[in-house]
Amino acid sequence: MTEQNVKALPLMEAPRKRAHRPPQHWCDLDPEQRRQAIIDLGLPKFRADQISRQFFGRLAADPDQWTDLPAGLRDQVAETLFPPLLEEVSRISCDDGNTVKILWRLGGGDLVESVIMHYPARRTADGRESAARTTMCISSQAGCGMGCPFCATGQNGLQRNLSAAEIVLQAHRGAELLAAGEIGGKPLRISNIVFMGMGEPMANYRAVMQAVRTLHAPAPDGLGISARGITVSTVGLVPRMKQLADEGLPVTLALSLHAPDEELRNELVPITQRYGVAEVMDAAYAYAEKTRRRVSIEYILIKDMNDQGFRADLLADLIHARGNWNWAHVNLIPLNPTPGSVWTASRKEDEREFVRRLEAKGISVTVRDTRGQEIDGACGQLAAKGA
């Protein structure tokens, strides 16, 4: 897809100030570029595979641990190709240590957040055993330019896009912590990566896709996370949704819809003024058709705003109008209120009625397990406090 046959993307995507540009890092490069970078240092290219085996395979971020490289080479490579990009500012936890939120400081001083959520195996109501899983939510931008009024990140505006390395390093550090047993009480691995932290991933498309390929690549080239375990969210940047369908990666697309009718969505998701509900839903369906991957329709439930039963019916009709197969799953999210907000989560009885209405029309639906409210779990809250 060329730039000529897609709409211009919103002006809100571009940072309005001169942004800090991070130095190039190993995680910004693909495997061939890494080998060339090593050759440019005057070293044999096999050293690139050694370094990647240490960094991605063993999760060894400290060059002093790269014992198969001579000590002198470690310092040279680290200084040139592993500049420090993320500094951990704070780490807070809840849910008996199974949910951890990390605040990072980037070069230039901007703050971003990541959240790690471990879900232990448990027995369901019908007696089945659910498998344990660990999900990490990562950021793709410092701040966000989409302007959704209920979102703490959106209230702070957009500072800048993250580089591919700044994105990958969040996951790498999370993988380190999990492997060391610092979350969940025993060594764990990341099962899923969701681009639902700070920022609009599709507004930083090139860096996000480079990061996705590195996260997905098997060791020693990346972290080896299944493409089906990676979710990329968007508020509805239609040209990028179409472009994602052509990438050849079966990642999950998550569409943050939040309202099935144009007028209300214009208020909740201002980007709708450029890409309307019908156009966004058409793009979501086209993604499902091309990839055969079910799209996740994200819908934050806000008390007396978008949680009425008739809107559940409208949402079901939108889905059915585009396909008679189970192409979409609705993920209902109780609102995690931000400080000073006049909006709050729906009443439980309204939440249940919304679910009942969707299920009555044959729509697959779940209510997200809310976590992290006591640790400022909504995206952007911790960064706002840390600024």
Side-chain angles (χ1 to χ4, degrees):
M1 180 175 294
T2 66
E3 293 299 325
Q4 286 74 29
N5 61 8
V6 297
K7 291 183 180 179
L9 290 178
L11 294 177
M12 288 183 292
E13 293 184 40
R16 293 187 293 271
K17 66 177 184 178
R18 186 179 181 88
H20 170 82
R21 177 170 292 183
Q24 190 177 74
H25 188 281
W26 195 253
C27 295
D28 288 311
L29 309 175
D30 64 30
E32 188 54 43
Q33 290 170 331
R34 293 168 193 160
R35 285 188 280 272
Q36 186 58 52
I38 289 299
I39 292 171
D40 291 344
L41 289 178
L43 304 174
K45 68 178 182 180
F46 75 85
R47 294 294 188 192
D49 293 332
Q50 286 182 315
I51 293 165
S52 286
R53 278 197 296 272
Q54 294 287 353
F55 187 78
F56 290 115
R58 294 186 56 240
L59 299 175
D62 182 359
D64 287 340
Q65 299 175 11
W66 302 349
T67 53
D68 53 353
L69 268 73
L73 289 187
R74 296 175 213 163
D75 294 340
Q76 180 187 11
V77 169
E79 182 178 344
T80 307
L81 295 170
F82 287 85
L85 299 182
L86 291 181
E87 174 193 357
E88 184 175 325
V89 176
S90 64
R91 191 192 312 173
I92 51 179
S93 64
C94 63
D95 300 316
D96 297 322
N98 286 317
T99 301
V100 174
K101 189 165 193 177
I102 304 172
L103 180 66
W104 311 101
R105 180 175 287 109
L106 308 175
D110 294 311
L111 299 171
V112 297
E113 304 166 1
S114 308
V115 183
I116 302 171
M117 296 158 285
H118 175 60
Y119 299 86
R122 62 182 181 86
R123 192 166 296 280
T124 61
D126 58 4
R128 292 180 297 175
E129 186 81 10
S130 67
R133 69 187 193 280
T134 304
T135 296
M136 187 167 186
C137 180
I138 59 178
S139 296
S140 56
Q141 294 179 309
C144 183
M146 297 297 105
C148 302
F150 54 85
C151 173
T153 304
Q155 292 168 17
N156 296 327
L158 176 62
Q159 284 76 58
R160 70 172 175 89
N161 289 330
L162 270 61
S163 67
E166 288 171 325
I167 297 169
V168 172
L169 287 172
Q170 295 171 64
H172 188 277
R173 180 58 178 148
E176 279 189 281
L177 295 173
L178 288 163
E182 295 188 37
I183 300 170
K186 60 182 179 180
L188 297 168
R189 291 173 53 87
I190 296 175
S191 311
N192 304 90
I193 291 281
V194 294
F195 283 82
M196 294 181 182
M198 295 174 66
E200 162 57 53
M202 296 289 192
N204 188 17
Y205 188 86
R206 182 178 298 178
V208 165
M209 290 314 302
Q210 176 67 37
V212 166
R213 293 185 186 282
T214 301
L215 294 170
H216 171 55
D221 294 327
L223 288 178
I225 296 169
S226 166
R228 293 175 179 269
I230 299 174
T231 297
V232 179
S233 68
T234 181
V235 296
L237 300 190
V238 170
R240 296 306 184 222
M241 294 168 71
K242 293 177 179 178
Q243 192 172 352
L244 183 65
D246 294 330
E247 291 287 351
L249 284 168
V251 299
T252 297
L253 173 66
L255 171 62
S256 296
L257 191 68
H258 306 319
D261 48 317
E262 211 78 60
E263 183 177 0
L264 180 57
R265 193 166 194 262
N266 281 340
E267 181 177 349
L268 296 179
V269 188
I271 192 66
T272 298
Q273 296 168 26
R274 184 175 293 265
Y275 305 112
V277 170
E279 189 176 7
V280 166
M281 289 294 287
D282 286 345
Y285 179 70
Y287 183 86
E289 277 278 88
K290 185 157 193 174
T291 64
R292 306 310 292 180
R293 294 285 294 147
R294 191 163 63 167
V295 172
S296 180
I297 305 294
E298 309 292 300
Y299 196 105
I300 288 181
L301 287 171
I302 306 172
K303 179 183 175 183
D304 297 330
M305 177 64 69
N306 65 349
D307 61 353
Q308 301 87 350
F310 79 88
R311 285 198 161 93
D313 294 338
L314 285 174
L315 177 57
D317 292 343
L318 278 177
I319 293 170
H320 281 309
R322 284 162 177 81
N324 57 8
W325 61 284
N326 194 20
W327 70 271
H329 172 87
V330 175
N331 186 25
L332 298 176
I333 309 166
L335 178 68
N336 190 348
T338 60
S341 173
V342 297
W343 295 336
T344 189
S346 298
R347 306 172 190 88
K348 285 299 179 183
E349 57 267 29
D350 293 334
E351 178 186 293
R352 287 191 292 268
E353 176 64 8
F354 206 94
V355 170
R356 188 193 70 77
R357 295 268 194 129
L358 289 173
E359 290 181 337
K361 292 204 169 191
I363 301 298
S364 173
V365 56
T366 53
V367 179
R368 180 182 293 177
D369 178 19
T370 55
R371 284 194 174 199
Q373 291 188 2
E374 61 269 50
I375 58 170
D376 298 316
C379 295
Q381 285 185 248
L382 194 59
K385 286 187 175 183

